[in-house]
Amino acid sequence: MTRLIFLGPPGAGKGTQAKTLAAFLQIPHISTGDILRQAIQDQTNLGMQAQGFMDKGELVPDKLVEDMVKERLQQPDAITGWILDGFPRKVTQAEFLAELLTSLGQGGEKVINLDAPDESVITRLLGRGRKDDTEEVIRRRLEVYRDETAPLINYFTDRQKLLTVNGNQSQEEVFTDLKNIIAA
Protein backbone atom coordinates (compact mmCIF):
# COMPACT_ATOMS: atom_id res chain seq x y z
CA MET A 1 0.00 0.00 0.00
CA THR A 2 1.31 3.38 -0.97
CA ARG A 3 0.83 6.23 1.46
CA LEU A 4 2.71 9.39 0.60
CA ILE A 5 2.87 12.87 2.06
CA PHE A 6 4.15 15.57 -0.30
CA LEU A 7 6.09 18.55 1.03
CA GLY A 8 7.76 21.30 -0.96
CA PRO A 9 7.71 25.02 -1.58
CA PRO A 10 4.95 26.68 -3.58
CA GLY A 11 5.68 26.11 -7.27
CA ALA A 12 7.82 23.00 -6.75
CA GLY A 13 5.27 20.84 -8.58
CA LYS A 14 3.64 19.03 -5.64
CA GLY A 15 0.10 19.22 -6.99
CA THR A 16 1.06 18.27 -10.53
CA GLN A 17 3.19 15.33 -9.42
CA ALA A 18 0.69 14.17 -6.79
CA LYS A 19 -2.13 14.08 -9.37
CA THR A 20 0.00 12.26 -11.95
CA LEU A 21 1.34 9.74 -9.45
CA ALA A 22 -2.08 9.14 -7.88
CA ALA A 23 -3.54 8.38 -11.33
CA PHE A 24 -0.60 6.07 -12.10
CA LEU A 25 -1.01 4.21 -8.78
CA GLN A 26 -4.83 4.35 -8.86
CA ILE A 27 -5.06 5.88 -5.39
CA PRO A 28 -6.64 9.18 -4.35
CA HIS A 29 -4.75 12.47 -4.42
CA ILE A 30 -5.94 14.16 -1.26
CA SER A 31 -5.40 17.91 -1.25
CA THR A 32 -6.59 19.83 1.80
CA GLY A 33 -7.72 22.63 -0.52
CA ASP A 34 -9.82 20.15 -2.51
CA ILE A 35 -11.25 18.66 0.71
CA LEU A 36 -12.30 22.11 1.89
CA ARG A 37 -13.89 23.04 -1.43
CA GLN A 38 -15.74 19.70 -1.65
CA ALA A 39 -17.00 19.89 1.94
CA ILE A 40 -18.29 23.41 1.31
CA GLN A 41 -19.90 22.39 -1.98
CA ASP A 42 -21.52 19.35 -0.33
CA GLN A 43 -22.66 21.55 2.58
CA THR A 44 -21.31 19.05 5.13
CA ASN A 45 -21.24 20.11 8.77
CA LEU A 46 -17.47 20.61 8.58
CA GLY A 47 -17.80 22.42 5.26
CA MET A 48 -20.32 24.89 6.66
CA GLN A 49 -18.04 25.55 9.65
CA ALA A 50 -15.08 26.14 7.30
CA GLN A 51 -17.19 28.44 5.09
CA GLY A 52 -17.90 30.65 8.12
CA PHE A 53 -14.18 31.25 8.69
CA MET A 54 -13.40 31.70 5.00
CA ASP A 55 -16.25 34.20 4.53
CA LYS A 56 -14.63 36.36 7.20
CA GLY A 57 -11.25 36.06 5.47
CA GLU A 58 -9.86 33.97 8.32
CA LEU A 59 -7.76 30.82 8.15
CA VAL A 60 -9.64 27.60 8.79
CA PRO A 61 -8.54 26.42 12.28
CA ASP A 62 -6.22 23.40 12.52
CA LYS A 63 -8.82 21.33 14.38
CA LEU A 64 -11.32 21.74 11.55
CA VAL A 65 -8.75 20.83 8.88
CA GLU A 66 -7.65 17.85 10.98
CA ASP A 67 -11.26 16.67 11.29
CA MET A 68 -11.68 16.94 7.50
CA VAL A 69 -8.49 14.95 6.87
CA LYS A 70 -9.63 12.32 9.39
CA GLU A 71 -13.01 12.03 7.66
CA ARG A 72 -11.37 11.82 4.20
CA LEU A 73 -8.83 9.12 5.17
CA GLN A 74 -11.68 6.92 6.41
CA GLN A 75 -13.46 6.90 3.04
CA PRO A 76 -13.36 3.55 1.18
CA ASP A 77 -11.09 4.72 -1.67
CA ALA A 78 -8.36 5.75 0.80
CA ILE A 79 -8.05 2.36 2.47
CA THR A 80 -5.66 1.02 -0.19
CA GLY A 81 -3.42 4.09 -0.20
CA TRP A 82 -3.31 7.84 -0.80
CA ILE A 83 -1.16 10.87 -1.51
CA LEU A 84 -1.59 13.78 0.90
CA ASP A 85 -0.81 17.21 -0.52
CA GLY A 86 -0.95 20.31 1.70
CA PHE A 87 -1.16 18.48 5.02
CA PRO A 88 0.52 18.46 7.44
CA ARG A 89 1.86 22.02 7.33
CA LYS A 90 3.33 22.08 10.82
CA VAL A 91 4.65 19.70 13.47
CA THR A 92 1.43 19.71 15.54
CA GLN A 93 -0.46 18.55 12.44
CA ALA A 94 2.19 15.88 11.77
CA GLU A 95 1.76 14.60 15.32
CA PHE A 96 -2.03 14.53 14.86
CA LEU A 97 -1.59 12.64 11.58
CA ALA A 98 0.75 10.08 13.17
CA GLU A 99 -1.84 9.34 15.89
CA LEU A 100 -4.65 9.22 13.32
CA LEU A 101 -2.80 6.79 11.04
CA THR A 102 -2.00 4.54 14.00
CA SER A 103 -5.65 4.53 15.07
CA LEU A 104 -6.76 3.74 11.50
CA GLY A 105 -4.10 1.06 11.03
CA GLN A 106 -2.69 3.05 8.09
CA GLY A 107 1.00 3.40 8.97
CA GLY A 108 4.01 3.00 6.72
CA GLU A 109 3.76 6.38 5.03
CA LYS A 110 6.68 8.00 3.26
CA VAL A 111 7.25 11.74 3.14
CA ILE A 112 8.55 13.18 -0.10
CA ASN A 113 10.10 16.62 -0.10
CA LEU A 114 10.07 18.09 -3.61
CA ASP A 115 12.94 20.49 -3.25
CA ALA A 116 13.60 23.33 -5.66
CA PRO A 117 15.72 26.48 -5.34
CA ASP A 118 13.87 29.74 -4.71
CA GLU A 119 14.92 31.29 -8.02
CA SER A 120 13.46 28.37 -10.01
CA VAL A 121 10.23 28.47 -8.05
CA ILE A 122 9.91 32.24 -8.49
CA THR A 123 10.41 31.91 -12.26
CA ARG A 124 7.78 29.13 -12.45
CA LEU A 125 5.23 31.01 -10.38
CA LEU A 126 5.73 34.27 -12.27
CA GLY A 127 5.23 32.26 -15.47
CA ARG A 128 1.75 31.21 -14.36
CA GLY A 129 0.63 34.80 -14.83
CA ARG A 130 -1.65 34.99 -11.81
CA LYS A 131 -2.42 38.51 -10.59
CA ASP A 132 -1.41 37.73 -6.99
CA ASP A 133 1.89 36.10 -8.05
CA THR A 134 4.20 39.12 -7.85
CA GLU A 135 7.84 38.49 -7.06
CA GLU A 136 7.46 40.20 -3.68
CA VAL A 137 4.45 38.06 -2.74
CA ILE A 138 6.16 34.88 -3.95
CA ARG A 139 9.30 35.64 -1.92
CA ARG A 140 7.14 36.20 1.17
CA ARG A 141 5.28 32.91 0.59
CA LEU A 142 8.63 31.12 0.30
CA GLU A 143 9.85 32.74 3.51
CA VAL A 144 6.71 31.62 5.36
CA TYR A 145 7.01 28.15 3.84
CA ARG A 146 10.65 27.79 4.96
CA ASP A 147 9.82 29.05 8.48
CA GLU A 148 6.87 26.67 8.88
CA THR A 149 8.25 23.67 7.05
CA ALA A 150 11.83 23.49 8.30
CA PRO A 151 10.63 21.99 11.61
CA LEU A 152 8.47 19.49 9.64
CA ILE A 153 11.44 18.41 7.55
CA ASN A 154 13.41 17.82 10.77
CA TYR A 155 10.42 16.01 12.32
CA PHE A 156 10.15 13.53 9.45
CA THR A 157 13.95 13.19 9.09
CA ASP A 158 14.19 12.25 12.79
CA ARG A 159 11.58 9.54 12.16
CA GLN A 160 13.46 8.31 9.08
CA LYS A 161 10.47 8.93 6.80
CA LEU A 162 11.76 11.82 4.67
CA LEU A 163 12.91 11.31 1.09
CA THR A 164 14.01 14.28 -1.00
CA VAL A 165 13.44 14.56 -4.74
CA ASN A 166 15.04 17.24 -6.89
CA GLY A 167 12.07 19.31 -8.05
CA ASN A 168 14.33 21.42 -10.26
CA GLN A 169 14.16 19.10 -13.26
CA SER A 170 11.58 18.29 -15.91
CA GLN A 171 8.17 16.92 -14.86
CA GLU A 172 9.08 13.60 -16.51
CA GLU A 173 12.37 13.34 -14.58
CA VAL A 174 10.65 14.13 -11.27
CA PHE A 175 7.95 11.54 -12.03
CA THR A 176 10.61 8.91 -12.80
CA ASP A 177 12.37 9.69 -9.50
CA LEU A 178 9.06 9.35 -7.65
CA LYS A 179 8.30 5.98 -9.24
CA ASN A 180 11.80 4.77 -8.31
CA ILE A 181 11.27 5.81 -4.68
CA ILE A 182 7.97 3.96 -4.49
CA ALA A 183 9.44 0.83 -6.06
CA ALA A 184 12.33 0.82 -3.54
Side-chain angles (χ1 to χ4, degrees):
M1 288 192 220
T2 303
R3 296 187 182 99
L4 302 171
I5 298 168
F6 273 42
L7 301 178
K14 292 182 304 294
T16 300
Q17 292 296 336
K19 283 180 191 139
T20 306
L21 193 59
F24 175 77
L25 296 170
Q26 298 183 323
I27 58 175
H29 165 228
I30 301 172
S31 153
T32 47
D34 291 347
I35 292 172
L36 276 170
R37 285 185 287 279
Q38 190 65 50
I40 290 167
Q41 182 183 323
D42 294 347
Q43 293 288 292
T44 67
N45 182 34
L46 294 174
M48 290 187 290
Q49 289 177 52
Q51 181 80 60
F53 289 100
M54 293 165 71
D55 286 347
K56 295 180 210 161
E58 297 174 10
L59 289 175
V60 177
D62 285 358
K63 174 77 172 99
L64 194 49
V65 174
E66 290 169 357
D67 287 347
M68 290 179 157
V69 168
K70 179 179 182 179
E71 190 177 84
R72 180 63 184 92
L73 291 180
Q74 293 180 73
Q75 292 177 5
D77 68 335
I79 292 170
T80 58
W82 39 258
I83 298 175
L84 259 181
D85 171 14
F87 188 89
R89 288 196 186 270
K90 45 189 158 180
V91 171
T92 53
Q93 291 177 343
E95 291 167 342
F96 162 82
L97 184 61
E99 289 175 24
L100 174 63
L101 295 178
T102 298
S103 73
L104 296 176
Q106 290 190 20
E109 73 282 2
K110 292 180 183 177
V111 181
I112 296 177
N113 182 31
L114 271 183
D115 199 25
D118 287 0
E119 295 312 313
S120 294
V121 167
I122 290 166
T123 301
R124 278 186 202 169
L125 292 176
L126 287 173
R128 292 198 304 201
R130 292 185 187 167
K131 285 185 291 198
D132 59 339
D133 278 348
T134 65
E135 186 168 339
E136 184 180 330
V137 168
I138 293 167
R139 286 192 186 281
R140 176 67 188 132
R141 285 173 55 205
L142 286 168
E143 193 178 300
V144 169
Y145 168 78
R146 303 256 185 249
D147 289 346
E148 290 180 356
T149 308
L152 254 189
I153 288 171
N154 293 337
Y155 174 89
F156 286 119
T157 299
D158 291 348
R159 284 151 186 80
Q160 299 178 336
K161 293 185 182 235
L162 188 78
L163 303 160
T164 298
V165 171
N166 177 4
N168 194 27
Q169 49 185 347
S170 74
Q171 288 183 12
E172 294 77 18
E173 290 169 316
V174 172
F175 186 65
T176 298
D177 287 354
L178 290 170
K179 288 192 295 188
N180 290 338
I181 282 174
I182 293 162

